[in-house]
Amino acid sequence: MLTRRSLIAPSRVVFSRTTETRHRLRVSTRPLFQYHNDVQLTDPDIPTHTTPLLTFPHRPRKGMVVYRCAECDGRISHSVVTLTDTTLLQTDPDDFQFSDQTGNPDMVPQGFQITNDTADYAVPDDDTGWPVLNPENVVGTDYDYTAETGCCGPPGNAVNTVCRNGHKVGVERGDCYTVHAIALDPTRVTATDSHHQETEGLDAEDPAVWLDILDSGSVSDRRRAIALLGHHETVAAVPALRDTLTAGPRELRPIAALSLGRISAPDALEALATALDTDDETVRTAVVTAIGGCDLDGTDDILLDHLADEPHEDVCREVRYGLDDQLTASTFRTYLDRSTTAAGQLALVKLLPRQGDAVASALTDTIHRSNLPTEVRKRAVVQRGHFKSDTNTGSRYREDTGEALLDALEAVTDVDVRVACIHALHNRYLHDDTIPDAVERTLHDLETDPRTPEAVRTAARDAL
């Protein structure tokens, strides 16, 4: 199974995903180690599933550019080069896209870019000069669902792509009837030539030279020196990387954190744990990713301790990816009681497996806890509703799932949680031949009782 940790390690390979899911997972499938890259990471002539994620040192080809957010200078692309052979473009949807659910074909080959006036189907349709990239070459971005939603993916009619800091940078198109591409707004991004002459020090094999550059070089040279020190797991660099992480330029701190994670020495882990106190969300995200990538004992405890008080969902998501194992019911209860943030509590619920009596009981208790945020309780409803059967009874659901959801629907007072319970009950029995009498009777009573909140009545009516 492809895990978050395998995505972090430069010696591993990245396996491609189907296009219809890739746009939803773009952030989660892009390791923060790609902050390191000033060069092309993958050769477009080699299939993705056989291409190493990172190779250092490496000289880029001439004409390559890297795109960054114009507002915060956050990196949003790998190095790409302009495509000259337009016959390689896929400008029309695949003939089998609808019938076979094969997913959207990529418009631009990986590793290349075009401008949106080069081909008929490029995005956006009403402007020119937008660089259009393969989605696999876009990093550090997320899809803004508030901008627009399509049938099975982004239709590409609005600026719907944002950088890690939430700044609008471009348009992604990848609905079921389109090819898949991301166009960057030239007024919101900057392009940097990634072909540069490396200094003699950066070409040297002696890590001491990289340490000297880290101490006195330019920001761009220091960035690459940090990456090289991490890639070669230079334990002697831990003090210098720790100082960069805590007091260096902001743009170098995430890279220093990730290199410390690659080194995986006890002193490096200690430095990373200390840096979790920073107020910078981007740095914290890099730190928890680096801790999750450390091949040392105790990383799960550090991440869970931090998760209890982490207020930002992006950081919590990286914590979940960094943990080696799902939570046990007892560990979940312990950390849920300690957690002080809704984001942390929500992440803890998502970390639970969907099997086992103890976990089922813990989720049911979470639904009934009125002191927890509504979103956390609603997530517990979803988890409980999809709980898998522990036995081969012919059903993929636990036999007590419907009963647990029905009890919660009648017991809780939060309207949103009750609506979530109705939706979960509907999904539970959607493909069954019959609905239990108790469920149908309860939904009917809710629909007809004038004292029932309108949102609950509507959900019950829709379910019936």
Side-chain angles (χ1 to χ4, degrees):
M1 182 179 68
L2 186 64
T3 64
R4 180 65 176 179
R5 181 158 295 181
S6 69
L7 287 170
I8 293 174
S11 60
R12 307 292 181 93
V13 297
V14 176
F15 296 85
S16 59
R17 297 176 180 267
T18 58
T19 311
E20 63 266 28
T21 60
R22 189 169 56 221
H23 80 272
R24 300 185 182 92
L25 304 173
R26 192 162 66 249
V27 172
S28 63
T29 58
R30 297 290 190 275
L32 284 174
F33 257 109
Q34 290 172 344
Y35 274 117
H36 286 194
N37 304 327
D38 287 320
V39 298
Q40 172 73 6
L41 292 189
T42 55
D43 189 329
D45 297 326
I46 303 176
T48 303
H49 65 279
T50 61
T51 307
L53 179 60
L54 291 174
T55 53
F56 293 107
H58 177 75
R59 292 186 180 275
R61 294 177 292 175
K62 289 185 178 181
M64 283 189 167
V65 295
V66 169
Y67 290 98
R68 296 180 179 273
C69 173
E71 190 165 348
C72 65
D73 198 40
R75 183 170 183 149
I76 57 175
S77 84
H78 295 328
S79 298
V80 292
V81 66
T82 299
L83 180 68
T84 56
D85 185 0
T86 57
T87 63
L88 298 177
L89 293 175
Q90 175 80 36
T91 56
D92 297 310
D94 195 302
D95 291 339
F96 300 100
Q97 197 163 310
F98 296 107
S99 60
D100 292 350
Q101 299 294 310
T102 55
N104 328 53
D106 292 328
M107 177 180 183
V108 184
Q110 188 174 340
F112 293 95
Q113 66 166 344
I114 61 169
T115 55
N116 68 314
D117 47 1
T118 302
D120 294 336
Y121 211 78
V123 290
D125 299 325
D126 57 352
D127 204 351
T128 59
W130 290 49
V132 181
L133 282 66
N134 184 300
E136 291 289 350
N137 291 122
V138 177
V139 297
T141 64
D142 201 359
Y143 179 68
D144 180 8
Y145 285 92
T146 64
E148 61 171 358
T149 55
C151 173
C152 302
N157 298 320
V159 178
N160 57 23
T161 301
V162 296
C163 73
R164 281 189 179 273
N165 294 318
H167 305 130
K168 294 180 181 295
V169 293
V171 177
E172 178 173 4
R173 175 175 286 178
D175 214 338
C176 54
Y177 58 89
T178 73
V179 291
H180 200 186
I182 298 179
L184 302 177
D185 186 342
T187 66
R188 302 173 190 262
V189 300
T190 57
T192 304
D193 185 358
S194 64
H195 181 78
H196 60 275
Q197 292 295 323
E198 295 166 333
T199 66
E200 179 180 356
L202 291 181
D203 281 334
E205 295 183 0
D206 186 1
V209 178
W210 303 334
L211 285 169
D212 289 341
I213 293 172
L214 181 57
D215 183 56
S216 58
S218 66
V219 172
S220 60
D221 285 345
R222 291 168 71 185
R223 179 187 291 115
R224 185 159 176 78
I226 291 170
L228 290 167
L229 289 165
H231 177 70
H232 290 282
E233 302 180 13
T234 309
V235 177
V238 169
L241 292 174
R242 180 189 59 222
D243 293 342
T244 302
L245 174 59
T246 56
R250 182 179 183 274
E251 61 266 35
L252 297 182
R253 294 170 68 192
I255 311 171
L258 296 164
S259 284
L260 285 168
R262 282 286 296 133
I263 293 172
S264 287
D267 290 347
L269 182 58
E270 182 180 354
L272 289 168
T274 302
L276 284 171
D277 293 334
T278 180
D279 293 331
D280 192 316
E281 180 185 348
T282 301
V283 176
R284 276 204 320 280
T285 303
V287 169
V288 299
T289 302
I291 292 173
C294 285
D295 189 18
L296 295 171
D297 294 334
T299 56
D300 280 7
D301 292 337
I302 294 173
L303 291 176
L304 285 171
D305 286 339
H306 178 72
L307 186 63
D309 300 313
E310 175 55 54
H312 291 283
E313 291 184 11
D314 286 347
V315 183
C316 290
R317 182 177 59 242
E318 296 297 331
V319 171
R320 289 194 291 116
Y321 294 147
L323 292 170
D324 284 334
D325 301 305
Q326 293 178 305
L327 296 184
T328 63
S330 60
T331 303
F332 167 76
R333 292 178 187 273
T334 299
Y335 281 98
L336 186 67
D337 290 338
R338 290 173 47 185
S339 181
T340 59
T341 67
Q345 294 162 352
L346 192 62
L348 287 167
V349 174
K350 292 179 180 180
L351 281 166
L352 283 172
R354 296 184 179 181
Q355 274 187 313
D357 293 339
V359 175
S361 175
L363 280 172
T364 302
D365 292 345
T366 302
I367 297 171
H368 287 267
R369 287 182 58 174
S370 59
N371 63 321
L372 291 175
T374 297
E375 291 302 314
V376 176
R377 299 171 69 191
K378 287 170 60 179
R379 181 65 197 189
V381 170
V382 173
Q383 295 276 101
R384 188 65 178 87
H386 288 89
F387 223 73
K388 297 177 181 178
S389 174
D390 296 320
T391 59
N392 296 322
T393 59
S395 172
R396 60 176 179 158
Y397 296 105
R398 282 177 61 100
E399 293 182 358
D400 63 349
T401 293
E403 180 181 351
L405 293 172
L406 193 60
D407 288 345
L409 174 60
E410 296 174 339
V412 302
T413 58
D414 188 298
V415 171
D416 291 335
V417 177
R418 297 182 73 188
V419 170
C421 289
I422 293 174
H423 291 163
L425 282 167
H426 175 264
N427 292 333
R428 164 65 183 85
Y429 297 110
L430 181 62
H431 300 292
D432 288 6
D433 294 332
T434 59
I435 299 177
D437 292 339
V439 175
E440 189 169 8
R441 184 170 56 253
T442 298
L443 293 178
H444 182 269
D445 291 344
L446 289 173
E447 182 194 9
T448 57
D449 189 344
R451 296 170 299 177
T452 303
E454 184 60 31
V456 177
R457 293 179 65 185
T458 301
R461 185 183 308 116
D462 293 342
L464 288 171

